[in-house]
Amino acid sequence: MAEGPNKASLDDFWRMVWQKRVRVIVMLTNLQEGMRGRIPRRVCQYHYRAWPDKDIPRHSASLLKFLRQVRAEYDGGSGSPLLVHCSDGVGRTAVAIAIDSILAHARRTQKVEVYKCVKSMRERRPYMVQTLEQYEFVYNAVLEDLLWEETEIPAQSFSLRLARLKQHVRGGMQSGLNQEFQARKVHLNMS
């Protein structure tokens, strides 16, 4: 048993949890108690778990989808900052920020500037994008996002989408399915 942590005891509380190898915490209190005049606010946390430290994800598609979900949630116009972090704040953090920034810039200007983006980040904080593999991953992820259209189909729409793809395109000999396959084949041969 323990009392709920406060600002002064928070570090000690988590140290105890770690040292005693606590696996379950039962909280019998509200998140905030005894506080008056506080304005509640919603905080949304996204957690991408398929990315080892000082390495790259196995596939960029899942990270790109993740970044699109974050971007859809985040409204930069509200003036609130977006917080991105990893364990050291320079490797994975920088890669995610670089990909997102470069893609936003590319959509605005029709130009891709990977080197300029990473250089600018490193001028503000050393070691951003730690390894050559991470730098190359930025290039590949940006390329993939710019070349490939969104292919995810909601499950309830899948049969309708497949039926449309099987139809011949404007009286031609190829179905939409064949055209999509050929287009993907060309892109796959490029990488």
Side-chain angles (χ1 to χ4, degrees):
M1 77 179 129
E3 70 178 43
N6 56 37
K7 284 183 181 180
S9 67
L10 186 63
D11 287 342
D12 293 330
F13 178 84
W14 286 109
R15 188 175 300 110
M16 174 198 65
V17 167
W18 187 257
Q19 287 174 348
K20 298 295 181 182
R21 294 186 171 128
V22 173
R23 291 185 51 219
V24 176
I25 298 173
V26 178
M27 186 169 140
L28 302 172
T29 180
N30 293 316
L31 288 175
Q32 294 183 10
E33 288 187 333
M35 299 182 164
R36 300 177 208 284
R38 302 277 176 162
I39 299 171
R41 84 181 102 137
R42 179 177 173 266
V43 176
C44 183
Q45 177 174 314
Y46 286 87
H47 186 183
Y48 188 83
R49 301 179 310 159
W51 195 341
D53 191 20
K54 293 183 179 50
D55 203 350
I56 57 173
R58 289 179 60 184
H59 307 286
S60 58
S62 64
L63 178 64
L64 292 168
K65 180 180 178 184
F66 177 82
L67 292 174
R68 279 192 292 276
Q69 290 171 332
V70 170
R71 181 58 57 193
E73 173 70 30
Y74 175 66
D75 177 16
S78 68
S80 66
L82 176 69
L83 174 64
V84 180
H85 75 89
C86 62
S87 58
D88 58 14
V90 294
R92 292 170 284 188
T93 297
V95 170
I97 291 171
I99 291 168
D100 186 63
S101 297
I102 293 163
L103 288 172
H105 178 77
R107 288 183 186 102
R108 281 191 316 273
T109 66
Q110 301 299 309
K111 294 180 183 175
V112 175
E113 300 186 36
V114 175
Y115 175 78
K116 184 177 179 180
C117 177
V118 173
K119 181 178 182 276
S120 174
M121 292 170 70
R122 285 182 170 173
E123 287 171 352
R124 288 188 230 115
R125 184 169 181 166
Y127 308 111
M128 296 293 270
V129 184
Q130 291 176 296
T131 67
L132 176 60
E133 290 79 17
Q134 289 176 344
Y135 188 64
E136 185 177 5
F137 183 82
V138 171
Y139 268 96
N140 289 330
V142 168
L143 177 65
E144 181 174 338
D145 194 79
L146 294 174
L147 286 181
W148 294 75
E149 63 188 55
E150 179 60 47
T151 59
E152 186 173 79
I153 304 165
Q156 65 270 20
S157 305
F158 184 76
S159 60
L160 179 61
R161 168 84 172 151
L162 181 58
R164 286 185 185 153
L165 283 172
K166 286 183 176 182
Q167 294 174 353
H168 288 284
V169 180
R170 295 188 191 128
M173 296 301 289
Q174 284 189 333
S175 68
L177 193 61
N178 192 357
Q179 282 188 337
E180 184 176 277
F181 175 74
Q182 294 302 325
R184 300 286 181 241
K185 194 166 118 180
V186 168
H187 289 305
L188 287 173
N189 288 336
M190 289 178 58
S191 54

